[in-house]
Each structure stands twice: as structure tokens, then as C-alpha cells.
Amino acid sequence: MENSMSIILGGWLSAGLTIFLFSFLYKDNPLFKIAEHLYLGVGMGWWFIVLLYGTWIPKAYEPFMQGEYVLIIPVLLGLSLVTQFIPRISWISRYGFTFIMGYGAGLVLPLNLATDFMAQIAGTIKPFSQLASMSWGAIINSFLIAIGAVCVLAYFYFSVEHKGIVKKASNIGIYFLMIYFGASFGNTVMARFSLLYGRFDLLYDFSGASYAFATPIIIILTVGFFALKHFMDKKKNSGAAQP
Amino acid sequence: MKDKLRRFLRIDRRWIFLLLTAVMVWPIIHPFGLSGKTSQQSVRDFYDFVEKLKPGQAVILGTDYDPSTKPELHPQAVAALRHLFSKDVRVLILTFISGAPGMIEELNQTVPAEYGKEYGKDYVIMPYNPNYMAAMTQMSIDIYKAYDKDAEGNDVRGMPVMAGIKTYKDIAGVIEITGTGMLDAWVAYAGDKYGVPIIGGTTAISQLGFGPYLQNKQIRGLVGGMRGASEYETLISKPGKATSGIDALNMAHLLVILLILSSNLILLVIKEK
């Protein structure tokens, strides 16, 4: 019983917050503000709890209490970042940042150079050594990729004046970029609609008897709120207009 | 006539929001069943990879998404886990995103029971780890340096699911479901460096950015957005949330195309006059 009550309450909360956030599409209103502030507060609270119980306690506190005293070094480096909030001793945070920068750069640079730079250049060139064994479709594809890569690079190469062959290449590069942006925009629209569908689907789930008709009741109450507010604002304005 | 057309172009956008709501809610109430065809090679590659896994092999399932991308990515994770369990593959579920443990819990409550899978024997859920670079690097030397306990604080070393697993070489592949840069990280820190096959599931927005990795075989397969998820659900013959969502997505896209076409036609007519 208690479990089903908590599920129903969860449904009401979820449906209510979704409808309150969607109400901004009509106009800015206090219901939207409530949901917005709750979202920020709960998000921060969740993040804090996950970090406390997921990182601080199992990775720092517990091993330290079991005698792994060397952990004091990373803990102090981490805590040094917090001194940013105290201007008088904020210089201490440099030690933490220095470690993060050095460690991060050392780990990221070589690997990303290999993955995103060298491997991509090799991948663009490699098919041209295998043309004899490739299908016509794959050959055309390889040429398109190579031409696209060179022309887009020419568009972003500003060390020489864009005229002659460089201008022609950069102009072709613009078409490749436009195709990419078009496809990217199409995918973005699809992604946003998917998220919208997710909320509508949940609102539909919450509209049934198993959730005590949460969605229709909250929609009716929200519309009622807007109607009442509209009526009161109108009355207030007409009262202020009278001499 | 001209004024009426101009008025149409200046329509209050809230009417469009209302229309969009109507066309998306309608198929949720009465599904049309428009989906069902698989067209993307990258989704078939994803499916083929899992299909070729042998029973008992171990796979890492990275579930790095939170509620903000759940409608797109959760159906992918559900479908991938169903497919893995149907092949009797051992699964190590892990995340580097603080909002993901709730999503993993949802997976844990539904999918394993469908296949009679036992926690600790067939799959394990690792705790949230905020430092993905350190974890991915440590796992190349010793997985237990990054994960010695599961999400509940139990020692993972004695669990049957971890038997014979020490480094990446004992892992058959990494399936990463994410809308973040975590898929790039797996490619860089595990795929390219240690030769672990990487397979990805991502949001529609991020999908295009992974094209070069896919072309270059740095990623073996990719499921993109809700469309990709619905195709994958069709391949494993387990229709889920993505399949039912495709109707709504199709209707919304049709509305957008209709609005773009009608607005441009009206503009042309007004210009001609």
C-alpha cells in the first residue's frame, strides 16, 4: 500500500513538474519558476550525495581510516581547489590546478593525437592503396571523403590568400560544410522530438487510473490557474485605469 | 488573399506548439506501426557484433546517460542488454556520469528478470566513478584497481561474473551508450590503445560526429538516436519504447516539413504578387 502510494505520488510529481515546465511555452509564470528552481536544487542535491557516497566515502574516507595514509596527498590537492572561494589564500588552489593540468594534458594529448589526428589521416589515405579490391561504391566514397577533407581544410586555412585553386577548393569545402550542418540540424530536430516524445509518453502513462489521473487533473488545474490569473490581471488593470 | 497569407506567416507560435502536441500525442494513444525497416549499416554492425559473441565472454556496458537523454538512450541500453543476455554473455555495467545510477537501477529492475539472469553470476553493476581517464587507464593494468567493489559495496573479486577477468584482454568488447564524449574516451583509451572492440550507442545530435570513427573502424557499430534504437529493437525482435516512439517522431517530422514547405510557398506567392 505504502509502495503504491509512493508510486502514485511520484507520478503526480513527475507529471506536475513536466506540465509546469511546459507552461513556459504559453508564457512565463510562477508555476514554471517553481519547477525551474526545484530542478536546480534537486540536481545539486543529487550531485552532492552521489559524490559524497560514490567518491568521498569509498575512495577517500574509508581507505584512509584503514591505514592508506598516502591518500592525504590527493585529498589535500583536491581541497586546495576550494580555496578559490577565499581570496586571501586562493593562491593555494594553484597546486591543485597545476596537478590537474599536468596530469590531464599528459594523458589526453598523446592519445588524442593518435586517435583523432594520426588515425584519421591514415584512414583517409589508406583506401587509395586498396582501390583494386574495392567496389565502385567504396571507391567513390573514399574519393568523396578525401576531397571533402582537403577542401574543408582549405576553407579553414587562412595563412594564404583565398584566390585561384585555394579559393576553388575552399568554395567546394563550403558545400561539404553545408551538407554537414544540414544533416546535423536534421539530427538535432530528431533528438529534440525524441525528448519531447519521452515526456508525452510519460504524461500519457500518468493519465491513467493507476496514477489517480495525474495528468488530466494537473492540466485542468494549470489551465484554471492561467484563466484565474488572466481574470485577476484584467480586473487589476481596469481598476488602475479608472480615475 | 495576400493579407491572409501574410497573417498565416505571422501566426502565434503557440498554435504551432499545440499542433505539435496533438500530432505527437495522437500516435501515442493510437499507434500506427510505421516503423519496422532496418536501413542503417552501422546498426546492423552493432547487432552483428553482439550476435557473434560466444556464451561466457565478458562485455563492458557503459551506460553514461542521465534523465536528460533517457528517451533516446534508455531504449538502446535496454535493447543492448536484452541482446547480450540472450547470448549468455557476462556483462559488467559501469558509468562515469553522476546521473546514471538511477537509469542503471531501472535496467536492473526490469531486464535481468526477463532472462533469468543472476546478479554476481551473469552481470555486475560497478559504482559510479567520476574520473573516467584514471579508471580507463587503470583497467588496462588491473580492472580491480578501478573497481574492487560493486555499486552496493560488495567485493567483486569473488563474484563468478568476474572469473578470469583482469585486464582489457579478457574483455570481448565495450558497448558504450552515451550522449557525452565518453565514447571518444573509450576509443582513445581502450580501443585504439589496447585493441578492444568499441561499439557505440549515442544521441541523434552526436551521431554525425562519430562518422569518422565509424568510417575508420575505430568504432565497430553505432546506434544513433531513437531511430537507431527502433531499428535495433526490430533486429532483436523485441519492440520497445523506441519502436512505439517512431510513430510520434514521424508525425512530428511530417508537420515540420509541411510547415517549412507551406511557409516557403506562401513567401513565393507573396513575392510574385
Side-chain angles (χ1 to χ4, degrees), chain A residues 25-27 39 46-47 50-51 54-55 59 62 66 103-104 107-108 111-112 114-116 119-124 141-142 145 180 183-202 204-205, chain B residues 14 17 20-21 24-25 28-29 68-72 98-99 101-102 128-131 133-134 137 145-146 149 184 187-189 192-193 204-205 207-209 212-213 215-216 218 224 226-227 241 244-245 248-249 252-253 256:
Chain A
L25 295 172
Y26 177 64
K27 65 178 179 182
Y39 176 75
W46 169 263
W47 185 73
V50 167
L51 278 187
T55 310
K59 299 274 182 195
E62 282 176 355
Q66 286 161 10
Y103 158 82
L107 213 54
V108 167
L111 275 175
N112 282 15
T115 303
D116 292 335
Q120 295 306 322
I121 293 172
T124 309
N141 197 27
S142 304
I145 289 171
Y180 177 81
S184 182
F185 178 69
N187 270 27
T188 304
V189 170
M190 184 163 71
R192 297 293 177 244
F193 282 156
S194 302
L195 300 185
L196 192 59
Y197 161 77
R199 294 324 298 171
F200 283 159
D201 189 45
L202 273 179
Y204 181 64
D205 287 347
Chain B
R14 288 177 291 192
F17 296 152
L20 183 67
T21 305
M24 287 190 81
V25 171
I28 293 174
I29 300 169
S68 66
T69 47
K70 187 186 170 190
E72 281 190 285
S98 64
Y128 156 70
N129 193 326
N131 193 339
M133 278 197 288
T137 312
K145 279 192 187 297
K149 285 180 179 153
D184 304 67
V187 171
Y189 294 105
D192 284 2
K193 203 172 177 192
I205 296 176
Q207 190 184 359
L208 287 180
Y213 289 151
Q215 188 78 24
N216 212 16
Q218 288 166 289
M226 191 178 273
R227 181 192 160 199
K241 282 282 177 195
S244 57
L249 223 57
H253 286 169
V256 171

Side-chain angles (χ1 to χ4, degrees), chain B residues 106-127:
Chain B
E106 236 181 277
L107 282 176
N108 187 27
Q109 281 173 2
T110 52
V111 187
E114 290 174 23
Y115 295 85
K117 295 294 173 185
E118 201 181 311
Y119 185 82
K121 183 173 163 251
D122 303 302
Y123 72 104
V124 63
I125 299 170
M126 300 301 188

Side-chain angles (χ1 to χ4, degrees), chain A residues 41-58, chain B residues 98 101 128:
Chain A
V42 170
M44 285 302 290
W46 169 263
W47 185 73
F48 178 76
I49 291 296
V50 167
L51 278 187
L52 184 67
Y53 289 101
T55 310
W56 267 96
I57 293 176
Chain B
S98 64
Y128 156 70

Side-chain angles (χ1 to χ4, degrees), chain A residues 133-167:
Chain A
S133 60
M134 284 162 66
S135 66
W136 275 106
I139 292 171
I140 294 168
N141 197 27
S142 304
F143 271 99
L144 269 176
I145 289 171
I147 292 167
V150 172
C151 292
V152 171
L153 282 174
Y155 176 74
F156 287 107
Y157 188 64
F158 303 118
S159 296
V160 292
E161 197 178 341
H162 281 208
K163 59 182 183 185
I165 187 87
V166 180
K167 190 181 178 185

